[in-house]
Coordinates of all heavy atoms in Angstrom, one line a residue:
M1 N 0.8 -1.1 0.0 CA 0.0 0.0 0.0 C 0.8 1.3 0.0 O 0.8 2.1 -0.9 CB -0.9 0.0 1.2 CG -1.8 1.1 1.3 SD -2.8 0.9 2.8 CE -4.2 1.9 2.4
F2 N 1.7 1.3 1.0 CA 2.7 2.5 1.0 C 4.1 2.0 0.6 O 4.5 0.9 1.1 CB 2.8 3.2 2.4 CG 1.5 3.7 2.8 CD1 0.6 3.0 3.7 CD2 1.0 4.9 2.4 CE1 -0.6 3.5 4.1 CE2 -0.2 5.5 2.8 CZ -1.0 4.8 3.7
R3 N 4.8 2.8 -0.1 CA 6.2 2.5 -0.5 C 7.0 3.7 -0.3 O 6.6 4.9 -0.5 CB 6.2 2.1 -1.9 CG 5.5 0.8 -2.2 CD 6.0 0.3 -3.6 NE 5.1 -0.8 -3.9 CZ 4.3 -0.9 -4.9 NH1 4.1 0.2 -5.8 NH2 3.5 -1.9 -5.2
T4 N 8.3 3.5 0.1 CA 9.2 4.5 0.3 C 9.8 4.9 -1.1 O 10.0 4.0 -1.9 CB 10.4 4.1 1.1 OG1 9.9 3.6 2.3 CG2 11.4 5.2 1.4
R5 N 10.0 6.2 -1.4 CA 10.5 6.5 -2.7 C 11.9 6.0 -2.8 O 12.7 5.9 -1.8 CB 10.6 8.0 -2.8 CG 9.4 8.8 -2.9 CD 9.4 10.3 -3.1 NE 10.8 10.8 -3.1 CZ 11.2 11.8 -2.3 NH1 10.4 12.5 -1.6 NH2 12.5 12.2 -2.3
H6 N 12.3 5.4 -4.0 CA 13.5 4.8 -4.2 C 14.7 5.6 -4.0 O 15.8 5.2 -3.6 CB 13.6 4.1 -5.6 CG 13.5 5.0 -6.7 ND1 14.6 5.7 -7.2 CD2 12.4 5.5 -7.5 CE1 14.2 6.5 -8.2 NE2 13.0 6.4 -8.4
D7 N 14.5 6.9 -4.1 CA 15.6 7.9 -3.9 C 15.7 8.5 -2.5 O 16.5 9.4 -2.3 CB 15.5 9.0 -5.0 CG 14.2 9.8 -4.8 OD1 13.2 9.3 -4.3 OD2 14.2 11.0 -5.3
H8 N 14.9 8.0 -1.6 CA 14.9 8.4 -0.2 C 15.4 7.5 0.6 O 15.0 6.4 0.8 CB 13.4 8.8 0.1 CG 13.2 9.3 1.5 ND1 13.8 10.5 1.8 CD2 12.5 8.9 2.6 CE1 13.5 10.8 3.2 NE2 12.7 9.8 3.6
R9 N 16.5 7.8 1.3 CA 17.2 6.9 2.3 C 17.2 7.5 3.6 O 18.3 8.1 4.0 CB 18.7 6.6 1.8 CG 18.7 6.0 0.4 CD 18.6 4.5 0.5 NE 18.8 3.9 -0.8 CZ 17.8 3.4 -1.5 NH1 16.6 3.4 -1.0 NH2 17.9 2.8 -2.7
P10 N 16.2 7.4 4.4 CA 16.1 8.1 5.7 C 17.1 7.3 6.6 O 17.4 6.1 6.5 CB 14.7 7.9 6.1 CG 14.2 6.7 5.4 CD 15.0 6.7 4.1
E11 N 17.5 7.9 7.8 CA 18.2 7.4 8.8 C 17.2 6.4 9.6 O 16.0 6.6 9.5 CB 18.6 8.4 9.9 CG 19.8 9.4 9.3 CD 21.0 8.7 9.1 OE1 21.4 7.8 9.9 OE2 21.6 9.0 8.0
M12 N 17.7 5.4 10.1 CA 16.8 4.4 10.8 C 17.0 4.5 12.3 O 18.1 4.8 12.8 CB 17.2 2.9 10.4 CG 17.2 2.8 8.9 SD 15.5 2.9 8.2 CE 14.9 1.2 8.6
V13 N 15.9 4.4 13.0 CA 16.0 4.5 14.5 C 15.4 3.0 15.0 O 14.5 2.5 14.4 CB 15.2 5.6 15.1 CG1 15.8 6.9 14.6 CG2 13.7 5.6 14.7
Q14 N 15.9 2.7 16.2 CA 15.5 1.5 16.9 C 14.3 1.9 17.8 O 14.5 2.8 18.7 CB 16.5 0.8 17.6 CG 16.1 -0.5 18.1 CD 17.2 -1.3 18.9 OE1 17.8 -0.6 19.8 NE2 17.4 -2.5 18.6
V15 N 13.2 1.1 17.6 CA 12.1 1.3 18.6 C 11.8 -0.1 19.1 O 12.2 -1.1 18.6 CB 10.8 2.0 17.9 CG1 11.1 3.3 17.5 CG2 10.3 1.2 16.8
F16 N 10.9 -0.2 20.1 CA 10.5 -1.5 20.6 C 8.9 -1.5 20.5 O 8.2 -0.8 21.1 CB 10.9 -1.7 22.1 CG 12.4 -1.6 22.2 CD1 13.1 -0.4 22.5 CD2 13.1 -2.8 22.1 CE1 14.5 -0.4 22.6 CE2 14.5 -2.8 22.2 CZ 15.1 -1.6 22.5
V17 N 8.5 -2.5 19.7 CA 7.1 -2.7 19.5 C 6.7 -4.0 20.2 O 7.3 -5.1 19.8 CB 6.8 -2.7 17.9 CG1 5.3 -3.0 17.7 CG2 7.1 -1.4 17.2
E18 N 5.9 -3.9 21.1 CA 5.5 -5.1 21.9 C 6.7 -5.7 22.5 O 6.8 -7.0 22.5 CB 4.6 -6.1 21.1 CG 3.3 -5.6 20.7 CD 2.2 -5.6 21.9 OE1 1.9 -6.7 22.3 OE2 1.9 -4.5 22.4
G19 N 7.7 -4.9 22.8 CA 9.0 -5.4 23.4 C 10.0 -6.0 22.4 O 11.1 -6.3 22.9
R20 N 9.6 -5.9 21.1 CA 10.5 -6.5 20.2 C 11.3 -5.3 19.4 O 10.6 -4.4 19.0 CB 9.7 -7.3 19.1 CG 10.7 -7.9 18.0 CD 9.8 -8.9 17.2 NE 8.7 -8.3 16.5 CZ 8.7 -8.0 15.2 NH1 9.7 -8.3 14.5 NH2 7.5 -7.5 14.7
A21 N 12.6 -5.4 19.4 CA 13.3 -4.3 18.7 C 13.1 -4.3 17.3 O 13.0 -5.4 16.6 CB 14.8 -4.6 19.1
L22 N 13.0 -3.1 16.7 CA 12.6 -3.0 15.3 C 13.3 -1.7 14.8 O 13.3 -0.7 15.4 CB 11.1 -2.9 15.2 CG 10.4 -2.8 13.8 CD1 10.5 -4.2 13.2 CD2 8.9 -2.4 14.0
M23 N 13.9 -1.7 13.6 CA 14.5 -0.6 13.0 C 13.4 0.0 12.0 O 12.9 -0.7 11.2 CB 15.7 -0.9 12.2 CG 16.9 -1.5 13.1 SD 17.4 -0.4 14.4 CE 18.3 0.8 13.5
V24 N 13.1 1.2 12.2 CA 12.1 2.0 11.3 C 12.8 3.3 10.8 O 13.6 3.8 11.4 CB 10.8 2.2 12.1 CG1 10.2 0.9 12.5 CG2 11.1 3.0 13.3
P25 N 12.2 3.8 9.7 CA 12.8 5.1 9.2 C 12.5 6.2 10.2 O 11.4 6.4 10.6 CB 12.0 5.2 7.8 CG 11.5 3.8 7.5 CD 11.3 3.2 8.7
E26 N 13.5 7.1 10.4 CA 13.3 8.3 11.1 C 12.2 9.1 10.5 O 12.1 9.2 9.2 CB 14.6 9.1 11.2 CG 14.6 10.2 12.1 CD 15.9 10.9 12.2 OE1 16.5 11.1 11.1 OE2 16.4 11.0 13.3
G27 N 11.3 9.7 11.3 CA 10.2 10.5 10.7 C 9.0 9.7 10.6 O 7.9 10.3 10.3
S28 N 9.0 8.4 10.8 CA 7.8 7.6 10.7 C 7.0 7.8 12.0 O 7.5 8.3 13.0 CB 8.2 6.1 10.7 OG 8.9 5.7 9.5
S29 N 5.7 7.4 11.9 CA 4.9 7.5 13.1 C 4.9 6.2 13.8 O 5.3 5.2 13.3 CB 3.5 7.8 12.7 OG 2.9 6.7 12.0
A30 N 4.5 6.3 15.1 CA 4.5 5.0 15.9 C 3.5 4.1 15.3 O 3.7 2.8 15.3 CB 4.0 5.3 17.3
A31 N 2.4 4.6 14.6 CA 1.5 3.7 14.0 C 2.2 2.9 12.8 O 1.9 1.8 12.6 CB 0.2 4.5 13.5
A32 N 3.0 3.7 12.1 CA 3.6 3.1 10.9 C 4.6 2.0 11.4 O 4.7 0.9 10.9 CB 4.5 4.1 10.2
A33 N 5.2 2.3 12.6 CA 6.1 1.3 13.2 C 5.4 0.0 13.6 O 5.8 -1.1 13.3 CB 6.8 1.7 14.5
M34 N 4.1 0.2 14.0 CA 3.4 -1.0 14.4 C 2.9 -1.8 13.2 O 2.7 -2.9 13.2 CB 2.1 -0.6 15.2 CG 2.5 0.0 16.6 SD 1.2 0.4 17.7 CE 0.9 -1.1 18.5
L35 N 2.6 -1.0 12.1 CA 2.3 -1.7 10.9 C 3.5 -2.4 10.3 O 3.3 -3.6 9.8 CB 1.8 -0.6 9.8 CG 0.3 -0.1 10.2 CD1 0.1 1.0 9.2 CD2 -0.8 -1.1 10.1
I36 N 4.7 -1.8 10.4 CA 5.9 -2.5 9.9 C 6.1 -3.8 10.7 O 6.6 -4.8 10.1 CB 7.1 -1.5 10.0 CG1 6.9 -0.3 8.9 CG2 8.4 -2.2 9.8 CD1 8.0 0.8 9.1
A37 N 5.7 -3.7 12.0 CA 6.0 -4.8 12.8 C 5.0 -6.0 12.5 O 5.2 -7.2 12.9 CB 5.7 -4.5 14.3
G38 N 4.0 -5.7 11.6 CA 3.1 -6.7 11.2 C 2.1 -7.3 12.2 O 1.6 -8.4 12.2
L39 N 1.8 -6.4 13.1 CA 0.7 -6.8 14.2 C -0.6 -7.0 13.5 O -1.0 -6.2 12.6 CB 0.6 -5.8 15.3 CG 1.9 -5.5 16.1 CD1 1.5 -4.4 17.1 CD2 2.4 -6.8 16.7
P40 N -1.3 -8.1 13.9 CA -2.7 -8.3 13.3 C -3.7 -7.3 13.7 O -4.7 -7.0 13.1 CB -3.1 -9.6 13.9 CG -2.3 -9.8 15.1 CD -1.1 -9.0 14.9
A41 N -3.5 -6.6 14.9 CA -4.4 -5.5 15.3 C -3.6 -4.7 16.3 O -2.6 -5.2 16.9 CB -5.6 -6.1 16.1
M42 N -3.9 -3.4 16.4 CA -3.2 -2.4 17.4 C -4.0 -2.4 18.7 O -3.4 -2.1 19.7 CB -3.2 -1.1 16.8 CG -2.0 -1.0 15.7 SD -1.8 0.6 15.1 CE -1.3 1.5 16.5
R43 N -5.2 -2.6 18.6 CA -6.1 -2.5 19.9 C -7.4 -3.2 19.6 O -7.7 -3.5 18.5 CB -6.3 -1.0 20.3 CG -7.3 -0.3 19.3 CD -7.6 1.1 19.8 NE -8.6 1.7 19.0 CZ -9.9 1.9 19.3 NH1 -10.3 1.4 20.5 NH2 -10.6 2.5 18.5
E44 N -8.1 -3.4 20.7 CA -9.4 -4.0 20.7 C -10.4 -2.9 21.3 O -10.0 -2.2 22.2 CB -9.6 -5.3 21.4 CG -8.8 -6.4 20.8 CD -7.4 -6.5 21.2 OE1 -7.0 -6.0 22.3 OE2 -6.6 -6.9 20.4
T45 N -11.6 -2.8 20.6 CA -12.5 -1.8 21.2 C -13.0 -2.2 22.6 O -13.0 -3.4 22.9 CB -13.7 -1.7 20.3 OG1 -14.4 -2.9 20.2 CG2 -13.3 -1.1 18.9
P46 N -13.1 -1.3 23.5 CA -13.6 -1.6 24.9 C -14.9 -2.3 25.1 O -15.1 -3.1 25.9 CB -13.6 -0.3 25.6 CG -12.9 0.7 24.7 CD -12.9 0.2 23.4
V47 N -15.8 -2.0 24.1 CA -17.2 -2.6 24.3 C -17.2 -4.0 23.6 O -17.6 -5.0 24.3 CB -18.2 -1.7 23.7 CG1 -19.6 -2.3 23.7 CG2 -18.2 -0.4 24.4
S48 N -16.9 -4.2 22.4 CA -17.1 -5.4 21.6 C -15.9 -6.2 21.5 O -16.0 -7.4 21.2 CB -17.7 -5.2 20.3 OG -16.7 -4.5 19.5
G49 N -14.7 -5.6 21.8 CA -13.4 -6.4 21.6 C -13.0 -6.6 20.1 O -12.2 -7.3 19.7
S50 N -13.6 -5.7 19.3 CA -13.4 -5.7 17.9 C -11.9 -5.3 17.5 O -11.5 -4.2 18.1 CB -14.3 -4.8 17.2 OG -14.1 -4.8 15.8
P51 N -11.2 -6.0 16.8 CA -9.7 -5.6 16.5 C -9.7 -4.3 15.6 O -10.6 -4.2 14.7 CB -9.2 -6.8 15.8 CG -10.4 -7.5 15.2 CD -11.5 -7.2 16.1
R52 N -8.7 -3.5 15.9 CA -8.5 -2.3 15.0 C -7.2 -2.1 14.6 O -6.2 -2.5 15.3 CB -8.9 -1.1 15.9 CG -10.4 -1.0 16.2 CD -11.2 -0.5 15.0 NE -12.5 -0.2 15.2 CZ -13.5 -1.1 15.0 NH1 -13.2 -2.3 14.5 NH2 -14.8 -0.8 15.2
L53 N -7.0 -1.5 13.4 CA -5.7 -1.1 12.8 C -5.8 0.3 12.5 O -7.0 0.8 12.3 CB -5.3 -1.9 11.6 CG -4.8 -3.4 11.9 CD1 -4.8 -4.1 10.5 CD2 -3.4 -3.3 12.5
P54 N -4.8 1.1 12.3 CA -4.8 2.5 11.9 C -5.6 2.5 10.6 O -5.4 1.7 9.7 CB -3.4 2.8 11.7 CG -2.6 1.9 12.4 CD -3.3 0.6 12.4
W55 N -6.3 3.6 10.4 CA -7.2 3.7 9.2 C -6.8 5.0 8.5 O -6.5 5.1 7.3 CB -8.7 3.7 9.5 CG -9.6 3.7 8.3 CD1 -9.6 2.6 7.4 CD2 -10.4 4.7 7.9 NE1 -10.5 3.0 6.4 CE2 -11.0 4.3 6.6 CE3 -10.8 6.0 8.3 CZ2 -11.9 5.0 6.0 CZ3 -11.7 6.7 7.7 CH2 -12.2 6.2 6.5
C56 N -6.9 6.2 9.2 CA -6.7 7.4 8.4 C -5.3 7.9 8.4 O -4.9 8.7 7.5 CB -7.7 8.5 9.1 SG -7.1 9.0 10.7
M57 N -4.5 7.5 9.4 CA -3.1 8.0 9.6 C -3.0 9.6 9.6 O -1.9 10.1 9.2 CB -2.2 7.4 8.4 CG -2.1 5.9 8.4 SD -1.4 5.2 9.9 CE 0.3 5.3 9.6
M58 N -4.0 10.2 10.1 CA -3.9 11.7 10.2 C -4.6 12.2 11.4 O -5.0 13.4 11.4 CB -4.3 12.3 8.9 CG -5.8 12.1 8.5 SD -6.2 12.9 7.0 CE -8.0 12.8 7.0
G59 N -4.9 11.5 12.3 CA -5.5 11.8 13.6 C -7.0 12.1 13.6 O -7.5 12.7 14.6
A60 N -7.7 11.4 12.7 CA -9.2 11.7 12.7 C -10.0 10.5 13.3 O -11.0 10.7 13.8 CB -9.6 12.0 11.3
C61 N -9.6 9.3 13.1 CA -10.4 8.2 13.4 C -10.2 7.5 14.7 O -11.1 6.8 15.2 CB -10.2 7.1 12.3 SG -8.7 6.1 12.5
F62 N -9.0 7.7 15.3 CA -8.8 7.2 16.6 C -8.7 5.6 16.7 O -8.7 5.0 17.7 CB -9.8 7.6 17.8 CG -9.6 9.1 18.1 CD1 -10.1 10.0 17.3 CD2 -8.9 9.4 19.2 CE1 -9.9 11.4 17.6 CE2 -8.8 10.8 19.6 CZ -9.3 11.8 18.7
D63 N -8.6 5.0 15.6 CA -8.3 3.5 15.6 C -6.9 3.1 15.8 O -6.7 1.9 15.9 CB -8.8 3.0 14.1 CG -10.3 2.7 14.1 OD1 -10.9 2.7 15.1 OD2 -10.8 2.6 13.0
C64 N -6.0 4.1 16.1 CA -4.6 3.8 16.3 C -4.2 3.9 17.7 O -3.1 4.0 18.0 CB -3.8 4.5 15.4 SG -3.9 6.4 15.8
L65 N -5.1 4.1 18.7 CA -4.8 4.3 20.0 C -3.9 3.2 20.5 O -4.1 2.0 20.3 CB -6.2 4.3 20.9 CG -7.1 5.5 20.7 CD1 -8.2 5.4 21.6 CD2 -6.3 6.8 20.7
A66 N -2.8 3.6 21.2 CA -1.8 2.6 21.6 C -1.2 3.2 22.9 O -1.4 4.3 23.3 CB -0.8 2.5 20.6
E67 N -0.4 2.3 23.5 CA 0.4 2.7 24.7 C 1.7 3.0 24.2 O 2.4 2.2 23.6 CB 0.4 1.6 25.7 CG 1.2 2.0 27.0 CD 1.1 0.9 28.1 OE1 0.0 0.4 28.3 OE2 2.2 0.5 28.5
I68 N 2.2 4.3 24.4 CA 3.4 4.8 23.9 C 4.3 5.3 25.1 O 3.9 6.3 25.8 CB 3.3 5.8 22.8 CG1 2.6 5.2 21.6 CG2 4.7 6.3 22.4 CD1 2.2 6.2 20.5
D69 N 5.4 4.7 25.4 CA 6.3 5.0 26.4 C 5.5 5.1 27.7 O 5.6 6.0 28.6 CB 7.0 6.4 26.2 CG 8.0 6.3 25.0 OD1 8.5 5.2 24.8 OD2 8.3 7.4 24.5
G70 N 4.6 4.0 27.9 CA 3.9 3.8 29.1 C 2.6 4.7 29.3 O 2.0 4.6 30.3
V71 N 2.4 5.5 28.3 CA 1.2 6.4 28.3 C 0.1 5.8 27.4 O 0.3 5.7 26.2 CB 1.4 7.8 28.0 CG1 0.2 8.7 28.0 CG2 2.6 8.4 28.8
A72 N -1.0 5.4 27.9 CA -2.1 4.8 27.1 C -3.0 5.8 26.4 O -2.8 7.1 26.7 CB -3.0 4.0 28.0
N73 N -3.7 5.4 25.4 CA -4.7 6.3 24.6 C -4.0 7.3 23.8 O -4.6 8.4 23.6 CB -5.6 6.9 25.6 CG -6.9 6.3 25.6 OD1 -7.0 5.1 25.2 ND2 -8.0 6.9 26.2
R74 N -2.8 7.0 23.3 CA -2.2 8.1 22.5 C -2.5 7.7 21.0 O -2.4 6.5 20.6 CB -0.6 8.0 22.7 CG -0.4 8.4 24.1 CD 1.0 8.9 24.4 NE 1.3 10.1 23.5 CZ 2.5 10.6 23.3 NH1 3.5 9.9 23.9 NH2 2.8 11.6 22.7
Q75 N -2.7 8.6 20.2 CA -2.9 8.3 18.8 C -1.6 8.1 18.2 O -0.8 9.0 17.8 CB -3.5 9.6 18.1 CG -5.0 9.8 18.5 CD -5.5 11.0 17.9 OE1 -5.4 12.1 18.4 NE2 -6.3 10.9 16.8
A76 N -1.4 6.8 17.9 CA 0.0 6.4 17.4 C 0.3 7.1 16.0 O 1.5 7.3 15.7 CB 0.1 4.9 17.2
C77 N -0.6 7.5 15.2 CA -0.3 8.1 14.0 C 0.2 9.5 14.1 O 0.7 10.0 13.2 CB -1.5 7.9 13.0 SG -2.9 9.1 13.5
M78 N 0.0 10.0 15.2 CA 0.4 11.4 15.5 C 1.7 11.6 16.3 O 2.1 12.6 16.6 CB -0.7 12.2 16.2 CG -2.1 12.2 15.5 SD -2.0 12.8 13.8 CE -1.8 14.6 14.1
V79 N 2.3 10.4 16.7 CA 3.4 10.4 17.5 C 4.6 9.9 16.7 O 4.6 8.8 16.2 CB 3.3 9.5 18.7 CG1 4.6 9.5 19.6 CG2 2.1 10.0 19.6
P80 N 5.7 10.8 16.5 CA 6.8 10.3 15.6 C 7.6 9.3 16.4 O 7.7 9.4 17.7 CB 7.6 11.6 15.4 CG 7.2 12.5 16.4 CD 5.8 12.1 16.9
V81 N 8.3 8.5 15.7 CA 9.2 7.5 16.4 C 10.4 8.3 16.9 O 10.8 9.4 16.3 CB 9.7 6.4 15.4 CG1 8.6 5.4 15.1 CG2 10.4 6.9 14.2
A82 N 11.0 7.7 17.9 CA 12.3 8.2 18.5 C 13.0 7.1 19.0 O 12.5 6.1 19.3 CB 12.0 9.2 19.6
A83 N 14.4 7.2 19.0 CA 15.3 6.1 19.4 C 14.8 5.6 20.8 O 14.6 6.4 21.8 CB 16.7 6.5 19.4
G84 N 14.6 4.3 20.9 CA 14.3 3.7 22.1 C 12.8 3.8 22.5 O 12.4 3.3 23.7
R85 N 12.0 4.4 21.7 CA 10.6 4.5 22.1 C 9.9 3.1 22.2 O 10.1 2.3 21.4 CB 9.9 5.3 21.0 CG 8.4 5.5 21.2 CD 7.9 6.8 20.7 NE 8.2 7.9 21.6 CZ 8.2 9.2 21.3 NH1 8.0 9.6 20.1 NH2 8.5 10.1 22.3
C86 N 9.0 3.0 23.2 CA 8.4 1.8 23.5 C 6.9 1.9 23.0 O 6.2 2.8 23.5 CB 8.4 1.4 24.9 SG 10.1 1.0 25.5
I87 N 6.5 1.1 22.1 CA 5.1 1.1 21.5 C 4.5 -0.2 21.8 O 5.0 -1.3 21.5 CB 5.2 1.4 20.0 CG1 6.0 2.7 19.7 CG2 3.8 1.5 19.5 CD1 6.5 2.8 18.4
A88 N 3.3 -0.2 22.4 CA 2.6 -1.4 22.7 C 1.1 -1.3 22.4 O 0.5 -0.2 22.4 CB 2.7 -1.7 24.2
R89 N 0.5 -2.5 22.1 CA -0.9 -2.6 21.8 C -1.7 -2.1 23.1 O -1.3 -2.2 24.1 CB -1.3 -4.0 21.5 CG -0.6 -4.4 20.2 CD -1.1 -5.9 19.9 NE -2.6 -6.0 19.9 CZ -3.1 -7.1 19.7 NH1 -2.5 -8.2 19.5 NH2 -4.5 -7.1 19.7
Q90 N -2.9 -1.6 22.8 CA -3.8 -1.3 23.9 C -4.9 -2.2 23.9 O -5.6 -2.5 22.9 CB -4.3 0.2 23.7 CG -5.2 0.6 24.9 CD -5.4 2.2 24.9 OE1 -4.4 2.8 24.8 NE2 -6.6 2.6 24.9
H91 N -5.1 -2.8 25.1 CA -6.3 -3.7 25.2 C -7.4 -3.1 26.0 O -7.2 -2.8 27.2 CB -5.7 -5.0 25.9 CG -4.5 -5.7 25.2 ND1 -4.8 -6.5 24.2 CD2 -3.2 -5.6 25.4 CE1 -3.6 -6.9 23.7 NE2 -2.7 -6.3 24.5
G92 N -8.5 -2.9 25.4 CA -9.7 -2.4 26.0 C -9.5 -0.9 26.3 O -8.7 -0.2 25.8
A93 N -10.2 -0.4 27.4 CA -10.1 1.0 27.7 C -8.9 1.1 28.7 O -8.5 0.2 29.4 CB -11.3 1.4 28.5
R94 N -8.3 2.3 28.6 CA -7.3 2.6 29.5 C -7.7 2.7 30.9 O -8.8 2.9 31.2 CB -6.5 3.8 29.1 CG -7.2 5.0 29.5 CD -6.4 6.3 29.2 NE -7.2 7.5 29.7 CZ -6.7 8.6 30.1 NH1 -5.3 8.7 30.1 NH2 -7.3 9.5 30.4
E95 N -6.7 2.4 31.8 CA -7.0 2.6 33.3 C -6.9 4.1 33.6 O -6.0 4.8 33.2 CB -5.9 1.8 34.1 CG -5.9 0.3 33.9 CD -7.2 -0.3 34.6 OE1 -7.6 0.2 35.6 OE2 -7.8 -1.2 34.0
V96 N -7.9 4.5 34.4 CA -7.9 5.9 34.8 C -7.6 5.9 36.3 O -8.2 5.3 37.1 CB -9.3 6.6 34.6 CG1 -9.3 8.0 35.1 CG2 -9.7 6.5 33.2
P97 N -6.4 6.6 36.6 CA -6.0 6.7 38.1 C -7.0 7.4 38.9 O -7.6 8.5 38.4 CB -4.7 7.4 38.0 CG -4.5 7.9 36.5 CD -5.5 7.3 35.7
R98 N -7.3 6.9 40.1 CA -8.2 7.6 41.0 C -7.5 8.2 42.2 O -6.5 7.8 42.5 CB -9.3 6.6 41.5 CG -10.1 6.0 40.4 CD -11.0 5.0 40.8 NE -11.6 4.3 39.7 CZ -12.9 4.4 39.5 NH1 -13.7 4.9 40.2 NH2 -13.3 3.7 38.4
Ligands
FES101 S1 -5.1 6.3 12.3 FE1 -6.8 7.5 12.5 S2 -6.3 8.7 14.2 FE2 -4.5 7.6 13.9

């Protein structure tokens, strides 16, 4: 679906997707990193448990909610990768501290 231009050679950064080290192009989003990792779903909806993957990649649909660097409910398509960033699937609704 998406291809990198053949004349574009970005620097690569290491991130951790579900604890697995992965090299991704600098400037990619965390959602792109999760897609590169080949996960079958990024999250499940809190009510029905329906699996979700990023859809719009521009911050409109919220289907890419993920836990990034320990913070849940982040729109992964709006968060750029950074060296050492930890990206994890979100299961159901996030916990709200009381
Ligand atoms: S993929 Fe739609 S908001 Fe992130």
Side-chain angles (χ1 to χ4, degrees):
M1 179 180 206
F2 297 101
R3 292 193 188 117
T4 304
R5 288 185 358 230
H6 64 81
D7 60 339
H8 182 60
R9 300 273 183 256
E11 295 293 318
M12 303 296 277
V13 295
Q14 185 181 53
V15 297
F16 296 90
V17 176
E18 292 284 292
R20 183 168 59 103
L22 185 71
M23 298 301 289
V24 298
E26 188 174 51
S28 299
S29 68
M34 293 182 90
L35 291 171
I36 290 169
L39 299 179
M42 285 184 62
R43 70 178 185 102
E44 291 84 30
T45 58
V47 175
S48 69
S50 176
R52 290 287 187 263
L53 283 170
W55 188 66
C56 71
M57 297 297 276
M58 61 181 194
C61 73
F62 290 77
D63 274 343
C64 63
L65 294 180
E67 184 179 306
I68 299 174
D69 292 336
V71 180
N73 262 15
R74 297 199 64 195
Q75 285 177 283
C77 69
M78 305 303 287
V79 178
V81 293
R85 179 150 278 161
C86 295
I87 306 162
R89 295 177 56 180
Q90 183 166 308
H91 301 281
R94 72 174 184 150
E95 295 291 321
V96 178
R98 296 177 190 243

